């Protein structure tokens, strides 16, 4: 019976947010606006960092990498979600398509979390060892750390995706979210998934718990070093460079922990839906806003870029 079911084409479809077309249209407009703002905001950080030589430092190198990850991360989820919300009929996703979306979601999300830990290490070296900062955080090491976060994310995503999609799926099923996430897809399998859930928990610990503990340890040393600074202006500047990163960390790891570090038996599709909206649509919008508002150098550089663009546009008009 099980083998016969696997021979046919397995198709998935997403659970709609609402049965009312008016509500679906409102959700589409809101999601589209958030997606465009997140793409524009993160793209502006990448371009500003790239074009301003004063921002060619390890901190902004990692920030540009984070913004790039956010662009691809949002684009993995948003287009299919928008098409599904806008469509009057069910948007059907093949097994291969669902697997591809899950792979890139895990890959980019994992790399994002690991990169946040790398950024915490960068701040630790800058504040606790300022005289040795340029020696320790060489461009060679920065590139290695950035590529290492991508490589680890890729390995974890590949292993977990292959493991899940080797499970038998009986027939076309409704995914309880608006994208192919691990737990909702795993629940559609026609087999025992206790081993897969255990492996998912191990991956979650590697991606969420260990980096968060390293970030926490880094900030213990950072706060201790900042409190020893005699100048109030020096303390303020040091705190301002860390506060934006810490805010993003709490958003990212808080949402991820609510889904992936809780027992799978307590998983709620309704809670998963809400939390997933936060870290797939809202967080990518907030990240560039948080960094640009809390970081004076980036804010000034963005202002100069905007003024330059306005000046060029004015000259072309006349």
């Amino acid at each position: 019976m099980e083998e016969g079911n696997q021979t046919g084409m397995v198709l998935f479809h997403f659970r709609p947010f609402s049965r009312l077309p008016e509500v679906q249209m409102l959700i589409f407009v809101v999601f589209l606006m958030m997606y465009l703002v997140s793409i524009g905001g993160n793209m502006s950080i990448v371009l500003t960092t790239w074009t301003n030589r004063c921002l060619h430092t390890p901190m902004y190198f990692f920030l540009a990498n984070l913004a790039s990850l956010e662009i691809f991360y949002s684009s993995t989820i948003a287009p299919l979600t928008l098409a599904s919300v806008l469509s009057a009929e069910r948007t059907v996703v093949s097994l291969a398509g669902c697997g591809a979306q899950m792979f890139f979601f895990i890959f980019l999300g994992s790399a994002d979390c690991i990169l946040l830990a790398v950024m915490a290490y960068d701040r630790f070296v800058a504040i606790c060892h300022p005289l040795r900062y340029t020696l320790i955080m060489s461009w060679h090491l920065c590139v290695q750390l950035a590529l290492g976060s991508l490589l680890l994310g890729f390995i974890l995503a590949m292993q977990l995706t292959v493991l899940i999609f080797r499970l038998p799926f009986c027939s076309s099923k409704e995914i309880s979210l608006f994208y192919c996430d691990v737990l909702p897809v795993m629940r559609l399998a026609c087999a025992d998934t206790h081993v897969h859930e255990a492996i998912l928990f191990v991956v979650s610990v590697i991606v969420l718990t260990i980096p968060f503990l390293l970030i926490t340890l880094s900030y213990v040393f950072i706060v201790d070093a900042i409190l020893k600074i005699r100048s109030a202006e020096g303390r303020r500047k040091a705190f301002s460079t860390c506060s934006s990163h810490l805010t993003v960390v709490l958003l990212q790891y808080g949402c991820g922990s609510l889904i992936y570090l809780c027992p799978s038996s307590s998983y709620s599709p309704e809670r998963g839906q809400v939390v997933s909206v936060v870290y797939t649509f809202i967080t990518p919008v907030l990240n560039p806003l948080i960094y640009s508002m809390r970081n004076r150098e980036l804010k000034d550089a963005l202002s100069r870029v905007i003024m330059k663009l306005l000046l060029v546009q004015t000259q072309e008009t006349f």
Side-chain angles (χ1 to χ4, degrees):
M1 176 75 177
E2 195 173 270
E3 291 181 0
N5 286 333
Q6 291 183 69
T7 58
M9 178 173 284
V10 178
L11 299 174
F12 300 104
H13 62 272
F14 303 115
R15 179 177 297 176
F17 287 92
S18 173
R19 301 293 178 184
L20 299 175
E22 298 82 3
V23 176
Q24 287 286 93
M25 181 56 68
L26 177 62
I27 291 171
F28 171 80
V29 172
V30 173
F31 279 10
L32 179 61
M33 292 299 296
M34 287 194 290
Y35 176 58
L36 294 177
V37 170
S38 70
I39 294 296
N42 285 295
M43 187 65 75
S44 65
I45 288 179
V46 173
L47 294 176
T48 302
T49 306
W50 182 267
T51 56
N52 283 267
R53 293 187 63 84
C54 62
L55 300 182
H56 290 181
T57 62
M59 182 177 78
Y60 293 106
F61 169 75
F62 292 128
L63 179 57
N65 276 271
L66 184 70
S68 300
L69 284 175
E70 293 284 0
I71 291 170
F72 291 110
Y73 178 78
S74 298
S75 300
T76 299
I77 305 298
L80 188 57
T81 300
L82 291 169
S84 176
V85 172
L86 188 62
S87 175
E89 300 179 354
R90 296 187 307 187
T91 301
V92 177
V93 184
S94 67
L95 191 69
C98 192
Q101 187 184 52
M102 184 184 292
F103 166 77
F104 283 107
F105 171 74
I106 300 170
F107 166 43
L108 297 168
S110 300
D112 199 310
C113 291
I114 296 165
L115 190 60
L116 286 172
V118 171
M119 293 172 73
Y121 174 71
D122 172 68
R123 291 299 83 209
F124 161 74
V125 176
I127 293 173
C128 298
H129 304 283
L131 299 179
R132 299 174 57 200
Y133 178 69
T134 54
L135 181 64
I136 297 173
M137 298 303 296
S138 64
W139 282 112
H140 181 67
L141 178 62
C142 291
V143 172
Q144 284 184 325
L145 291 171
L147 290 176
S149 65
L150 290 172
L151 180 61
L152 183 56
F154 178 87
I155 292 170
L156 294 173
M158 180 62 73
Q159 291 179 338
L160 193 57
T161 306
V162 170
L163 187 71
I164 290 172
F165 281 90
R166 289 178 65 185
L167 287 167
F169 296 96
C170 298
S171 60
S172 302
K173 296 290 180 113
E174 181 181 79
I175 298 174
S176 60
L177 278 184
F178 51 91
Y179 65 97
C180 294
D181 197 6
V182 182
L183 280 171
V185 172
M186 200 186 298
R187 291 195 162 197
L188 302 180
C190 303
D192 181 68
T193 60
H194 284 90
V195 174
H196 300 74
E197 290 172 7
I199 294 172
L200 173 62
F201 181 77
V202 171
V203 171
S204 301
V205 168
I206 294 172
V207 171
L208 294 170
T209 307
I210 295 176
F212 185 75
L213 290 176
L214 293 174
I215 291 170
T216 304
L217 184 63
S218 297
Y219 273 101
V220 168
F221 288 109
I222 287 171
V223 171
D224 180 62
I226 290 175
L227 293 177
K228 291 178 182 177
I229 299 174
R230 295 183 179 181
S231 165
E233 179 63 22
R235 287 196 300 271
R236 187 201 64 78
K237 186 176 180 181
F239 272 122
S240 68
T241 60
C242 297
S243 59
S244 53
H245 174 259
L246 196 55
T247 305
V248 172
V249 165
L250 293 175
L251 274 172
Q252 189 83 355
Y253 285 88
C255 292
S257 299
L258 284 174
I259 298 295
Y260 301 107
L261 291 178
C262 292
S264 58
S265 57
S266 66
Y267 177 78
S268 164
E270 291 74 21
R271 184 185 67 184
Q273 188 92 294
V274 174
V275 177
S276 296
V277 168
V278 173
Y279 67 70
T280 55
F281 279 95
I282 298 177
T283 302
V285 172
L286 292 178
N287 286 357
L289 293 176
I290 291 169
Y291 278 110
S292 60
M293 288 171 61
R294 304 285 299 183
N295 191 300
R296 181 179 292 276
E297 287 181 333
L298 183 61
K299 193 193 306 185
D300 292 343
L302 282 169
S303 299
R304 287 195 298 271
V305 170
I306 293 171
M307 290 297 293
K308 192 179 294 184
L309 290 173
L310 290 174
L311 183 62
V312 169
Q313 189 175 9
T314 304
Q315 290 175 346
E316 287 179 352
T317 303
F318 291 102

